[in-house]
Amino acid sequence: MTVRLNPDSNPLSYKQQYAVDKRVRVPDFLVQEDAVRLLQCLAQETEFSSAFNVDGSNGVLSDAQMRQLTPTDVQSLQQKIHENAGRGAGFLYGRNNINGKNSDNPPPLLREFTDLINSEVVLSAVREISGHQDICAASAQATRYLPGNFLTRHNDFHAEEGRRVAYVMGFTPGWHPDWGGLLQFYQQDGTPRDAWTPIFNNLVLFDVAHVHAVTFVTPFAVDPRFSITGWFRAKPL
């Protein structure tokens, strides 16, 4: 069974809303059954690695490698990650690269999702919504935010990759805003704007120039925050 768009969803109806501030939320993007299957795949079948930044360099450790660290090693790593974050450049979250040159051998169902967002139906809709007629492909990575995970303030502009529109496809039902993990938007000077709570089967689109972050996930968050994220690009993967 392939991953299917919700036939009752019409992303093009959000074109006018996107034009106001170059960001929009499209609810019930997928057939509900398929969204549930994707959540189960992310929670039970996907191998994640922890991505982080230490001393200005990006690092990755698989879940198995993280479990092999001693408590002292974990504490030291966390301290370095937090020191970087305190200077405004840091992140810690789980990821699995689904497509592109550095694919992490994801489950077939995740590849089916990337086939869908790279279909002409979706690409043409995003071109129409955003006005970027040069969009030709979409990258994708599965993400998992656990307590203590975060992504500090940044924008997603990347000329070499030709990024045009960022997306976040939410797969976490019943997320409570008190748990953190919010998609926080900022003005260019760093002044906070509004924050969007993760919503199940909800597609977020926003221009890569938007300054944003994923806020710190609290220790009392009950569930992981799962999503598939990436960029609609003007250059092939």
Side-chain angles (χ1 to χ4, degrees), residues 57-76:
S57 298
N58 296 339
V60 178
L61 289 174
S62 68
D63 282 354
Q65 290 172 319
M66 289 291 287
R67 287 191 293 267
Q68 291 174 358
L69 296 179
T70 67
T72 300
D73 290 337
V74 171
Q75 184 177 12
S76 176

Side-chain angles (χ1 to χ4, degrees), residues 26-48:
V26 181
D28 301 321
F29 184 65
L30 303 175
V31 170
Q32 185 74 1
E33 174 189 355
D34 295 351
V36 170
R37 289 193 301 123
L38 280 160
L39 170 58
Q40 293 171 343
C41 180
L42 290 166
Q44 302 171 13
E45 304 170 28
T46 304
E47 295 182 3
F48 287 94

Side-chain angles (χ1 to χ4, degrees), residues 48-109:
F48 287 94
S49 295
S50 291
F52 51 85
N53 187 278
V54 171
D55 298 329
S57 298
N58 296 339
V60 178
L61 289 174
S62 68
D63 282 354
Q65 290 172 319
M66 289 291 287
R67 287 191 293 267
Q68 291 174 358
L69 296 179
T70 67
T72 300
D73 290 337
V74 171
Q75 184 177 12
S76 176
L77 178 60
Q78 288 180 335
Q79 181 177 350
K80 291 179 180 179
I81 292 170
H82 291 166
E83 286 174 354
N84 264 36
R87 295 191 292 269
F91 56 87
L92 173 63
Y93 63 91
R95 76 176 185 198
N96 180 295
N97 290 319
I98 303 174
N99 63 2
K101 298 178 181 177
N102 299 314
S103 175
D104 290 321
N105 192 29
L109 189 62

Side-chain angles (χ1 to χ4, degrees), residues 144-198:
R144 179 197 63 192
Y145 281 76
L146 301 174
N149 288 180
F150 64 93
L151 175 62
T152 58
R153 182 166 46 96
H154 65 288
N155 66 45
D156 285 344
F157 179 78
H158 195 297
E160 184 178 343
E161 293 185 3
R163 296 177 186 175
R164 295 292 186 262
V165 177
Y167 75 89
V168 180
M169 182 69 213
F171 290 104
T172 305
W175 187 264
H176 197 291
D178 287 348
W179 297 348
L182 308 179
L183 179 59
Q184 173 74 59
F185 290 97
Y186 300 84
Q187 297 178 19
Q188 292 298 322
D189 64 0
T191 302
R193 298 180 64 191
D194 51 358
W196 291 359
T197 302

Side-chain angles (χ1 to χ4, degrees), residues 125-140:
V126 176
R127 291 186 202 111
E128 186 66 21
I129 291 170
S130 68
H132 291 294
Q133 296 301 319
D134 56 357
I135 287 173
C136 65
S139 61

